[in-house]
């Protein structure tokens, strides 16, 4: 099956094999290897999830715009390893950068970046620094892109008020009769509802600038160099859209601050590691200190609360709605994820003052 998909892209050589790749929850990603004149060369094939991305063409258009913009920047800087520092889309034989198969599924192909790795959770301060620096650089590189051309691939993606509304609707509908099982978690949502207020105000009155941001700065969305550990390309560009840097900063801390993955069920292991937090602040601000406004910097820690809370709500909503969004490996997977995120939020709220102090050290 995948072999017939590969025939539609401009890829030389003979198909050898394919295997699932990465740990994303949304799109199907495969590593496909070809024999190119005696050399094994691999590509990343991605099937875009239509349930999540209602307009897959917009995803590809955005990726193309963003990667071309970054590539131009890297060329101007005379970077000599450009195709490892930015994602490269491979053309299909139809002259577009995607192919639509007989099930109406959209496929995109990327060059596979060699001698690079991703991490699902951060082990060292150095990894945290490198990854956040790469995300910071990404935002800096995009600071002068024509944002009117970037489409919104998922409306209201990080809109907390709208996430709460969807959650409330899910409770009301209770399609899977699961609401009765999660009263503790519903209470956790309720106790934090006011978190949605300030961000709405800051965005509505224009105090928070809208930039082109990544929107899914999970630590495993940046490639690191196997030899030097340096951050290379930022990947998974499907949600690159207008938004505030609070979201990107928040999601970095969400996905890297904890010593365990987002589905760890041993709550005692979950906490926001302040030394990793510091490394992320240092890496991110090393690129963006002179770009961000005071309002952005003053609200970075608040952004962490917003994003962790939002993620807890999203996992819990999906559990209540009978797991229609995130792929799951077992029945209570989304509930475990939600509980994990609430524990992380708790740890963050306890350390807020210290976190604010650290941000102030790096401005
Ligand atoms: C999804 O595809 P993946 O795993 O990188 C989700 C993110 C969540 C994340 C939680 C398009 O990202 O928003 O933060 O799971 N992506 C989309 O692990 O919803
Ligand atoms: Mg993703």
């Amino acid at each position: 099956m995948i072999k017939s998909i590969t025939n539609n892209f401009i890829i030389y050589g003979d198909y050898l094999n394919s295997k699932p790749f990465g740990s994303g929850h949304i799109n199907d990603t495969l590593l496909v290897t070809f024999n190119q004149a005696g050399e094994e060369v691999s590509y990343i094939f991605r099937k875009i999830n239509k349930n999540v991305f209602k307009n897959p063409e917009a995803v590809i258009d955005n990726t193309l715009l963003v990667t071309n913009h970054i590539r131009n920047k890297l060329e101007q800087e005379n970077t000599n390893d450009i195709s490892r520092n930015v994602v490269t889309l491979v053309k299909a034989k139809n002259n577009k950068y995607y192919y639509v198969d007989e099930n109406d599924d959209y496929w995109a192909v990327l060059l596979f970046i060699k001698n690079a790795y991703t991490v699902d959770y951060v082990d060292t301060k150095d990894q945290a620094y490198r990854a956040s620096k790469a995300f910071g650089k990404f935002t800096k590189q995009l600071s002068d892109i024509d944002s009117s051309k970037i489409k919104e691939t998922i409306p209201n993606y990080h809109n907390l008020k709208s996430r709460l509304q969807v959650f409330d609707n899910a409770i009301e509908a209770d399609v899977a009769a699961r609401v009765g099982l999660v009263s503790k978690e519903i209470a956790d949502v309720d106790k934090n509802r006011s978190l949605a207020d300030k961000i709405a105000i800051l965005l509505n009155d224009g105090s928070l600038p809208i930039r082109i941001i990544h929107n899914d700065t999970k630590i495993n969305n940046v490639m690191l160099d196997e030899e030097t550990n340096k951050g290379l390309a930022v990947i998974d560009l499907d949600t690159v859209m207008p938004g505030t840097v609070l979201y990107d900063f928040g999601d970095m801390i969400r996905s890297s601050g904890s010593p365990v993955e987002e589905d760890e069920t041993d709550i005692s292991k979950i906490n926001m590691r302040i030394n990793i937090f510091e490394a992320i602040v240092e890496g991110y601000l090393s690129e963006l200190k002179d770009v961000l406004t005071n309002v952005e910097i003053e609200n970075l820690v608040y952004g962490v609360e917003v994003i962790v809370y939002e993620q807890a709500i999203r996992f819990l909503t999906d559990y209540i709605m009978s797991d229609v969004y995130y792929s799951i490996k077992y029945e209570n997977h989304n509930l475990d994820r939600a509980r994990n995120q609430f524990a992380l939020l708790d740890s963050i709220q306890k350390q807020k003052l210290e976190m604010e102090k650290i941000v102030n050290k790096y401005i």
Side-chain angles (χ1 to χ4, degrees), residues 26-27 46 216 221 236 238:
I26 306 290
N27 296 308
R46 301 187 85 215
D216 185 10
N221 279 335
D236 197 359
D238 316 326

Side-chain angles (χ1 to χ4, degrees), residues 43-227:
Y43 294 79
I44 296 291
F45 277 65
R46 301 187 85 215
K47 186 169 91 183
I48 300 172
N49 184 332
K50 276 186 301 191
N51 181 32
V52 170
F53 297 100
K54 309 287 183 209
N55 180 359
E57 273 174 57
V59 172
I60 309 290
D61 290 349
N62 282 357
T63 304
L64 204 57
L65 279 171
V66 162
T67 55
N68 283 341
H69 188 87
I70 294 178
R71 189 169 298 105
N72 285 338
K73 287 260 150 92
L74 294 171
E75 274 163 11
Q76 280 159 23
E77 289 165 14
N78 285 322
T79 307
N80 55 19
D81 204 7
I82 291 179
S83 58
R84 292 176 77 238
N85 282 279
V86 63
V87 158
T88 307
L89 279 168
V90 175
K91 244 190 188 174
K93 289 184 181 161
N94 60 14
N95 223 21
K96 299 183 173 172
Y97 286 88
Y98 59 86
Y99 166 74
V100 188
D101 70 14
E102 67 274 14
N103 302 320
D104 209 25
D105 276 319
Y106 282 68
W107 290 84
V109 177
L110 307 162
L111 294 189
F112 172 65
I113 299 176
K114 266 183 114 165
N115 305 323
Y117 66 99
T118 60
V119 290
D120 285 330
Y121 58 97
V122 158
D123 267 334
T124 65
K125 281 174 63 179
D126 188 55
Q127 278 169 347
Y129 176 86
R130 308 273 192 177
S132 66
K133 189 175 174 63
F135 281 123
K137 184 166 181 202
F138 180 81
T139 298
K140 191 156 90 180
Q141 285 166 326
L142 296 178
S143 58
D144 58 349
I145 194 170
D146 179 356
S147 55
S148 67
K149 294 203 174 117
I150 305 286
K151 295 170 187 131
E152 199 171 39
T153 54
I154 303 181
N156 291 317
Y157 187 54
H158 283 309
N159 181 337
L160 194 45
K161 287 212 185 256
S162 124
R163 294 288 180 187
L164 279 164
Q165 188 59 56
V166 175
F167 170 75
D168 290 337
N169 296 346
I171 290 193
E172 179 94 29
D174 195 13
V175 291
R178 285 177 165 181
V179 168
L181 308 172
V182 293
S183 19
K184 155 100 181 50
E185 289 70 28
I186 293 177
D188 286 336
V189 173
D190 287 343
K191 131 177 138 204
N192 286 289
R193 275 183 193 262
S194 63
L195 276 177
D197 298 337
K198 182 162 86 164
I199 188 123
I201 295 169
L202 293 177
L203 285 170
N204 286 340
D205 72 7
S207 316
L208 272 178
I210 296 299
R211 304 179 186 279
I212 298 303
I213 57 156
H214 185 277
N215 274 307
D216 185 10
T217 51
K218 220 154 111 173
I219 194 69
N220 60 18
N221 279 335
V222 54
M223 310 285 307
L224 303 171
D225 191 307
E226 260 173 16
E227 233 170 78

